[in-house]
Each structure stands twice: as structure tokens, then as C-alpha cells.
Amino acid sequence: MSVIAYIPNQEGIIKKAGFELASYATALAENMGKEAIAVVLGPMAGDELEKLGKYGISKVMHDANPLFAQLDNRASAKALATAAAQAEVVVLAHNNEGKGVAPRLAVRLGAGYVSAVTGLPQSITPFLVNKVVFTGKAIGHAEILTAKKVLTLAYNSFGVHEKPVDVSVEAFDSGCSASDFVLNVQQTQKVTGKVLLSEAEIVVSGGRGMKSPENWKPIEELAELLGAATACSRPVSDEGWRPHSEHVGQTGKIIAPNLYFAFGISGAIQHLGGVSGSKVIVAVNKDPEAPIFEAADYGIVGDALKVLPEFIEAVKELKKG
Amino acid sequence: MKVLILIGNVPDTTTKVKFNASRTAFDTAGVQWIINPWDELALTRALEVKEANAGAIESITVANVGRAETEATLRKALAIGADKAIRIDADPVDAFTVASLLAPHCKEYDLIFAGVEASDYNGNAVGPMLAEMLDIPSIAGVSGFNVENGRPVFTREIDGGSQIVEAPLPVLAIVQKGIAKEPRIPAMRGIMMARTKPLQVVQPAAAEARTRYAAFDLPPAKAACKKFGEEQARELIHALRNEAKVL
């Protein structure tokens, strides 16, 4: 029996979320007295797979079939079910691919499924693990009643932990043939040069208090200085000032960075739901009564447009040392 | 194309969350119930496409697993414009039971929409589980939907970008933000018509739960916000480095 981590990749490259997942699987396997194995689907670049050894993964099962790049949930679930025939727990990333594949895999394996877990299980027997419910307004202690378990891990909830071991990479035949891949990807548009919002450690976000889309320059500048992702509140994406992919909140993305800057965001309950997992929240808002200050750790009552350039200067000074 | 939209009945998104004394169940006293936000957006988009492409979408059915009190939510979906509703008369115990109870009633549909998650237990499982039970393809992260030359075309969000994807029918789309701009508000005519539209109640088959909630907690209370003056941006940034240690 083993703990299996399905490591996501972007065109053959493993990102931070993949190493976080490897770290989690390693720690979980250790708690359970099992082996941590990684499964990777699709062609991989250079020595990417060996990198998993740095995070405690001793064995990588790799099916390099290029058709996996289509992200066909049914085919991926079938492949993982083959790899996980002997596994007790399978862990996936809580990204769109993981959300699409994990429940399918659970049905295939006869396993119980809990999504977006925020840490290691409180107990293995019974299998109890925490997850966010009511979009951050509460924590649920979810119990899986079946022998096999499938989990997705919420981003930034466990962290990346090094634990170097010798790693063996083995080719494995998942049993998927061309007829298993039925989605037809016509076009791909990449977001380049930007930090992925869901896995960003720092997020700089703007709300209606930014007044117009033309005022977003300093938000982008501050984000770039900090190596941060940019985000926005719901009215901003509804107005079309910023793309939907940047909307954080109950109906947008749920994020948990180390540091979240909210400029001109009043903090509606739905917005707070999506960002309350942030370790530190900094709010800048004109209205001293804005609910964002109840959720924030640090704040300035003031005009976001005036404070932003000051922040940029202060960060530049800090960087100079 | 016959379209099915899975409808979650969830507490209004402004609800202050409370639990019973033993912390084992959500306290529903005084809660307003709504259509799960993503399901409502999927319904809105399906209606827009039905109206814009004559004949492309033959009918729109909505379905949920729930007791009689969830009918107000299904009636609202009918008032917005769905043609018919199905209610499977059972408590939605966990995602696996919900998908299992829905599966026998989903076989005649070409296109099934499921919201990416429900805003109560944030489970994101019913749609993909149902697709697996029906052995049909699913597309995750769908933020756009159209019908071109009689075939559905989806936009989906992936890590680091987005894609235009076509799929053979039947297919299940897992829908997120972006698919429609604003949910529709039922007009008086829609509300009147909804009363006469079919709402079929079906008896559940047997299904066994695979997960449960042992308990719930509210998040720990936060310390008071440390406030700085409008001229003290530098001090705040220093506090983030030296005190909070996040810079």
C-alpha cells in the first residue's frame, strides 16, 4: 500500500504546487508508515522528474503519452486508477485539472473524496481531515468512510518542504490508448510573464476604490516589485476592468497567499470568504468602517491611489537594503 | 441538444454561518436559500445560447437532490427560463450519494452543466462523479460556452492560460465564473409561467455515503487590525518585513 501524489505539470515543467503536493504526500506517507509515490502524465522536460526526489518522493511512475496534454479528465482518471490500484490514498492538486479528475478517480477506485484539504489528517483511523467550508466562513472536519481515499490539497496550505531521497523514475503503461482521448483542443492562450494567482505567495488586489481601470498601473508595478500576482474584487471583474481570472472571492478564486494587499476593497462577506485563508492581510481603504479592516492584520485608512506610490517607494528602498 | 443543469440549493452567500450546539450540523434557522451561484450562471448562459441559436438547444432541464423545501429554488430556475425540473426526493448526504441518485435520470441528455463547487461545503465533486458514472467525458474549468455549427464549443481555464475545446456529445461541463456575466432575474411573466411548468418528483434509489462531517469549527477570531496613518506607508512595509516576516 502507498500514498500516491498526482503531480501536475505545465508543458513538462513542475511548478511550486507540484512540489507542495510531493511534500504533502511524503509527510502523509510517513504518518501512515507507507511509501510516497508520484505519478506524472505527459511528456516531461529534462530532469524535471528527478527534482521530486528533493521532496521525499522515492519512486516516480511516468506515462509520457503526449495525448495527456489534452487534459482529458476521463483518460487521466483511468490512468491514475491503474497507477493507484494498490494505493491507500491518492492526492491531487486543487487546480482545475485536479478538481475535474479527483472525483472521477474516487468513483473508479470506490474511494471517498474530500476536496481542498488544508493539512495532514488529524487522525488516520478514522480518517479525519480538515477542509474549508462555507467558503472560508468555517472549517469542516471531514471523515472518509472507505478504505481508499482521494484528496485534493488546497494551494499554499502545506508549504514546500525539502527531504532529499534517492529517486527512481519508472516508465509505466497507464493503459490509455488514442481512443481514450476525445477532447479536441483547438486553441491555447497562455498568460505569460505573470505569477499564477492560485499559487502566488503575495497577491496585490484592487477594488472599486481604484476608481477606473487606468489606475491599475501602480497595482501592477507593486506586484512586479514583490514577485506577486494581481487580483481584483467582484465588481471590478463584472465591470470588465480586469479579467474574470483575477476575481478573488466566493464566486471567483479562493486563495491563501502569505500576504494579501487589498487596495480600495471594502470587504463584502463574499470577498472575505475567498481571501480569509491569507496569512497576513493589508487593507487600504478610505472608509474606516469598511469590513475589510475587521479581517485585516494591518491597515491604512486612506486613499489607495495616494498610498500605492508610497508603498512602491518603500518597497524599492527595502530592496536596495 | 438536450441540456441538463444540476442545481444546488445553498444558503444565501451573505449568510452568517452558525452550527448546532454539538457543532455537528449547519444551523439552518433563518437561512435564505438560493441557487448555487455557478449553477445559476450556467443556466443563464444556456438560456442565452438557446435564444441566440434557433434550434441549437432543444430544451433545458434543471435537477437537484433534495426534499420538498428545495422546490422554491427549482421554481426560481423555471421562472428564469428552464423548461422543466426534476427533484429527487432525498437528503443530499454527500457528493457520492447525490451523483449516484442523479445518474439514472441523466442518460437522455447531450450536455450536462455542473457548477465548479457548491458554495456551502465547497465540494466540487458531484459533476465529475456523475460524468464518471455515466462514462462520458468532462471538461473542467469551463468559463465560456457557445454553439457553433450545431456543436458545443467551450473555453476552459488551465494553469497558466485558457483553451478553446470541442468535445463529442454527450459531455459534462464543470462551470466556473465567466460563463455568464450576471445571473438572470425572473420576470413576472416567468414567475407566472413557472407555476405551470412540469416539476417532476422522483423517488431515490439506494446510495451509500462515502464521507461525512464529524464536526465543524468557526475560524479563530482575528486580532485587531494594526492601523497606520496615510503618511506611514514606509512604517507599514517595515512592519511586514520585521514583525509579520512576510516580505
Side-chain angles (χ1 to χ4, degrees), chain B residues 1 53-57 110 146-153 166-167 169:
Chain B
M1 245 183 288
N53 300 261
I57 292 179
D110 305 296
N146 224 327
V147 175
E148 287 167 18
N149 306 318
R151 293 158 66 104
V153 180
E166 265 194 79
L169 299 176

Side-chain angles (χ1 to χ4, degrees), chain A residues 70 72 74-75 178-185, chain B residues 136-138 166-168:
Chain A
Q70 284 184 8
D72 187 317
R74 181 167 55 172
S179 62
D180 285 306
F181 300 88
V182 299
L183 301 187
N184 176 12
V185 178
Chain B
I136 62 173
S138 57
E166 265 194 79

Side-chain angles (χ1 to χ4, degrees), chain B residues 121-135:
Chain B
Y121 299 98
N122 305 107
N124 69 268
V126 173
M129 282 185 175
L130 180 61
E132 189 64 35
M133 290 169 186
L134 297 171
D135 194 24

